[in-house]
Every structure is written in C-alpha cells, then in structure tokens.
Amino acid sequence: MMYNPNPSQRLRGFVRQQVLNVLGAWATPAPGIHILNGHRIAHENEPHTFKTLLQELSQKVSFIKIEEAVERIMRKEQPHKPLVAFTFDDGFMECYDIFAPLLEEFGTNALFFVNPNYVDGDASYIENFNNHVVLTEGKTPLRWSHLKELAKRGHIIGAHTMDHYMINTNDEQTLRYQIENCKSVIEQQIQQPCNFFAFPYGRLTHANQLSIDIACNTYKHVFSQSNYKHYFSFNGKVINRRHFEPFWPINHITYFISCNKTYE
C-alpha cells in the first residue's frame, strides 16, 4: 500500500515544508557540481511542474550533462559556479514521457537507473514492485524499446539491481546476481555499455563493503543518495547525489544545493 503518514508525521512534514520555504527564499546555490536524483512526478498529466522547475532553476545554475558532471567530479574540480546534472531512479514511464523531452529542451540529458526485472515485468510483478517495493502506486515501467530510444537520444542507462534489492546483505551469490547480472542484461538489451550503478534506497547503511566492492569491480562508477555535503563515500568509491523530486518547490531545491561540498 502507499505510505500514509499519521497526524504527527503530517504535522512534522508541514513544519519542515514551511522552514524550507523560508530558508530557500534566502539561499543561493553554492559553486560546485550538484547531481540531483529524482524518481517521479506527482501527477503524470502535469508535466508543467517539472518544466517550471527547470525554468526557475536555470536562472540560478548551469545545467551540464551527467557524464560531464561525473568526469569533473572524478578530476576533483572545484568550479566557480553552480553546475547541475540529473539522474532518475526506478525507471517509471514519466522518464520517457516527461523528464527526457523537457531536459532536452534545456540542452541536457539524464542518467536513468533501471531494474531489468521491472522493465520485463508482467502485471503481477509490476503491481508488487509499485505497491510493496518502491511504495509508489499506479506506475508503469519503461520497456526496453523506450530505453533503447533514450540511449540513442543521448541519455544514459544505468543499473539499479535486478529487483530494486537492498544490497546490505552478506549473501554473495544474491549480490552478484542483483549487481553483476543487472549489467549484463542491460548491455544485452540496449547494445551499449552500462558503466553506472546506483544502489537502491540510497542511504550508506543500505549497502556494505562487500556489495560496494562487487559493484566497483563491475561498474566504472557507483552512486549513493546520501552524505550529500561530500562528493564521495566509501573511501572515494561512491559518488553521492542529492535527492529531489520534480514537483518540489524551487526554494527547497535551492536550499539543498546551497551547501559547499567537499572532496574530503
């Protein structure tokens, strides 16, 4: 079922929203390379929410392609202005219908992390994935035909485990299936190298040293969604991203990317 917060959680959420509105109104994006990571839009019939966000954000930052962002982070560059790149996890259909076309209008691209068993899923698998794994009801997965086209249009397709699996287990056989097989399936389907991996759920506790070692031996680059004030985690092996959603207010995102990031 969809997550349904209780009254105290809703109150905390409301207070947090108001605080971010105030802080974001005075915040300025910090110089640096910011990788924003989203998942979905609130209502797929409202693409103007993301377009408005991009229009407002483009007045404050410069958009760069994700492969350039990664290259500059790996070189430990310290740009003198805020640069923003985009990634999206889970592979919902709005990536094809909304996010990719709008990013193209602004001259940039995205890295889409997908779960092959969701891409190939039948109705039963999709329902379980939506309702019990990612807790986002009513979604439709990208299929391989969409991913192939996105790759041809200059977007990047990355791996997110076979089943959106939490990789903090010590079961090496399962880890190798979820991490290594994911790369093989994606490359076979899209006929392009798959060099990027993001582990599901994104907190550093949602992975362990064994899984990170397997991922780093399989992929050129590995991503989390944590520890955003630092470019790297796991002793420089994992690139950190900042969570956002395309329907969030611009003030919130401005506040989140106002921190000065470090390579330490």
Side-chain angles (χ1 to χ4, degrees):
M1 294 295 292
M2 191 75 166
Y3 172 67
N4 186 25
N6 61 41
S8 64
Q9 290 170 326
R10 287 196 292 269
L11 177 60
R12 288 197 298 271
F14 173 79
V15 172
R16 180 176 182 272
Q17 293 278 322
Q18 299 309 307
V19 170
L20 288 174
N21 285 339
V22 173
L23 294 175
W26 298 97
T28 301
I33 304 161
H34 305 277
I35 299 179
L36 294 180
N37 179 58
H39 299 78
R40 62 189 178 90
I41 199 164
H43 303 285
E44 284 82 352
N45 62 346
E46 296 183 1
H48 67 269
T49 56
F50 188 43
K51 183 168 187 176
T52 298
L53 175 62
L54 292 175
Q55 289 171 333
E56 294 175 336
L57 192 56
S58 68
Q59 303 303 309
K60 303 171 182 285
V61 307
S62 295
F63 297 145
I64 59 173
K65 294 189 174 182
I66 182 63
E67 58 268 39
E68 178 186 349
V70 171
E71 290 173 1
R72 296 180 73 162
I73 288 172
M74 297 307 297
R75 292 196 297 264
K76 296 187 176 181
E77 291 188 13
Q78 293 280 14
H80 298 297
K81 61 181 182 179
L83 308 175
V84 169
F86 295 90
T87 69
F88 293 89
D89 291 357
D90 301 343
F92 299 132
M93 194 62 193
E94 54 259 49
C95 294
Y96 180 85
D97 289 337
I98 298 174
F99 301 152
L102 287 175
L103 289 170
E104 290 165 9
E105 286 186 25
F106 285 83
T108 193
N109 68 348
L111 167 51
F112 298 108
F113 289 103
V114 300
N115 311 97
N117 284 341
Y118 184 53
V119 178
D120 280 326
D122 59 17
S124 176
Y125 184 96
I126 291 168
E127 181 181 8
N128 181 70
F129 185 95
N130 290 342
N131 296 351
H132 301 291
V133 178
V134 296
L135 304 181
T136 308
E137 293 179 350
K139 292 298 179 183
T140 301
L142 293 164
R143 298 302 195 179
W144 294 117
S145 59
H146 304 116
L147 294 167
K148 289 177 187 176
E149 183 185 334
L150 288 172
K152 289 179 180 178
R153 284 160 49 183
H155 300 278
I156 311 296
I157 310 303
H160 202 42
T161 73
M162 294 296 294
D163 299 286
H164 204 276
Y165 184 80
M166 191 181 295
I167 61 169
N168 59 0
T169 178
N170 289 315
D171 182 343
E172 184 172 343
Q173 182 177 356
T174 298
L175 288 175
R176 291 194 180 278
Y177 167 72
Q178 290 290 339
I179 298 170
E180 295 177 344
N181 200 55
C182 192
K183 175 182 174 70
S184 300
V185 172
I186 292 172
E187 290 182 339
Q188 181 179 11
Q189 290 289 343
I190 69 171
Q191 295 296 298
Q192 290 192 21
C194 179
N195 294 320
F196 301 89
F197 174 80
F199 58 86
Y201 304 102
R203 293 184 181 179
L204 302 185
T205 55
H206 295 146
N208 59 25
Q209 195 59 57
L210 173 61
S211 61
I212 292 300
D213 288 343
I214 293 172
C216 289
N217 288 331
T218 306
Y219 300 88
K220 188 174 181 180
H221 301 291
V222 177
F223 296 81
S224 80
Q225 189 180 274
S226 293
N227 200 25
Y228 180 72
K229 293 182 180 180
H230 304 277
Y231 283 103
F232 295 107
S233 294
F234 283 99
N235 297 315
K237 293 184 176 181
V238 174
I239 299 173
N240 298 318
R241 302 174 293 167
R242 170 71 222 189
H243 178 216
F244 91 113
E245 294 299 345
F247 51 87
W248 286 4
I250 183 64
N251 283 358
H252 297 192
I253 297 169
T254 301
Y255 174 72
F256 290 140
I257 62 175
S258 65
C259 68
N260 291 299
K261 301 173 66 177
T262 71
Y263 285 102
E264 299 301 323

